[in-house]
Amino acid sequence: MGNDEYRAFSHLPDVVRRSAIQADVEAKLKQQFAAVTFIYGTVGPKAMHYGNRGNPAAVAARKWYGKGARAYAKKAELRRPGFLGAYKPSPENFREPFSRLLKLYDPGPRTAQYIKGDMQMMDMYYGMDNSIHLNRNRMIAEFVHCTMEFTPEFNFNDSGKTMYEQTFPGAGEGYLQAPVCLEKYGQSATMEMSKIIREGIRYWGGKLVYEGKAVFYSGVFSLAKSTRDTDVEAQNLFTYFGPRASSSTVPFGKGTLEFQWGGEPTTPTKALFLTNWSFSGGALQSIANAPSEEEIRKLLSAGHGLRHIWNNFEDFPPFLRTVDPETLITLFGDDANPYGAQPGQGDQWNHKLRNS
């Protein structure tokens, strides 16, 4: 199939535009989108390639590697050109090369789905310096490639990252707001790829899961301009929840959209989002990361000052709606919340917030 046959979108405007794509090719694409489930979300702060925090295996490996670095950093052969580049003999200089050489990858809360292999991730379509792109759906990968108008001919064995770098040499990573990408797509390359997949599901059908457990929601709902891929994805997808979402699953064009929290279908609520509100040293789902009682009261008021999509969600899940809101705000804003969770044990509170 030639590139022209795949161009169902022209630079992907807000309203999807049909092109001269052949009927049989479109039918096959529709079949492919319907056959797979995509899962969006973030790797979160504990991913192996984001500092190795929280993952026992990665932490142990880093300590082992650091120990070796300290023992052998003074050896001349480790400083020769071509061995991890030029560096000072310090364990700190080994961390990034170590991650790159071992090609570590941790999709955060989406790990279970990644291991089972029953869902497609955006990460696969841009790719990394490893073989994760080989898990893509072949036809959808070619469709994304051609819609992005990457100049090399499509090769399944080459990642989207490789094709992007050949199309835009010197532009840096695809998640950066490179001027050449802003001119062509109006956003970064990875955001455009994400949009192409979302629009494919919306236009042809299929299912999209948004895993929200490791997302910081002040970045999603704040009116300040956000450049993080996950925030932009959430801002788009959350328009489909509402008004006052009462289910974990909603229609998404011809497809469906499901919100999950730690792999569980969950009705999204403002209270749930507030448990991951700020950047408290990566302390997601902890009381330390939640806003203060005063902030909560403001954010649940009509004058919250957030994006309009904030209004799409109920303040609290159904089982708490009979409780006086002021009581909930007071309890939720304190370290001693109604379910006995102490600081650092916010998952107990989150478990109660999930509407099963």
Side-chain angles (χ1 to χ4, degrees), residues 287 330-332 334-343:
I287 296 170
T330 301
L331 292 170
F332 187 46
D334 289 340
D335 284 348
N337 67 50
Y339 300 104
Q342 298 302 312

Side-chain angles (χ1 to χ4, degrees), residues 293-310:
E293 180 181 331
E294 182 180 351
E295 290 173 312
I296 293 171
R297 187 172 283 104
K298 179 182 178 182
L299 294 172
L300 296 183
S301 71
H304 51 68
L306 301 173
R307 295 180 185 275
H308 183 72
I309 52 174
W310 181 247

Side-chain angles (χ1 to χ4, degrees), residues 333-353:
D334 289 340
D335 284 348
N337 67 50
Y339 300 104
Q342 298 302 312
Q345 297 178 329
D347 258 335
Q348 295 179 34
W349 173 235
N350 283 323
H351 180 72
K352 292 294 184 179
L353 286 175

